[in-house]
Amino acid sequence: MEYRVEELGVAAGLPVDTIRFYQARGLLPAPRRVGRTAVYDDSHLERLRRIRSLLADGLPLALIKRV
């Protein structure tokens, strides 16, 4: 499935700003570009879910990036 950033945020239960923050920190790979539109896929959604799970377990973002 393909998502725009807003749709990905809804699916992951995260604000768009958080998704962009994770991208900027290297925790989430860059989306595919279709013209000027960023297109995310299920691998991005799974990565966001994994990040949320690891944060809930108490891991800091620096360690999550290495995982």
Side-chain angles (χ1 to χ4, degrees):
M1 191 165 177
E2 294 184 342
Y3 307 90
R4 291 183 331 186
V5 71
E6 297 85 7
E7 297 166 332
L8 182 65
V10 169
L14 292 169
V16 170
D17 289 341
T18 301
I19 294 170
R20 290 188 174 129
F21 173 77
Y22 290 162
Q23 262 185 266
R25 297 287 298 239
L27 295 164
L28 188 67
R32 180 173 59 88
R33 293 280 176 183
V34 178
R36 293 186 58 157
T37 304
V39 179
Y40 298 84
D41 59 30
D42 288 327
S43 68
H44 292 96
L45 180 57
E46 289 303 316
R47 176 78 60 100
L48 289 171
R49 288 178 176 158
R50 180 76 173 139
I51 291 169
R52 286 186 71 173
S53 173
L54 293 170
L55 284 171
D57 289 342
L59 275 71
L61 289 178
L63 184 57
I64 292 172
K65 183 177 178 178
R66 285 188 261 161
V67 173

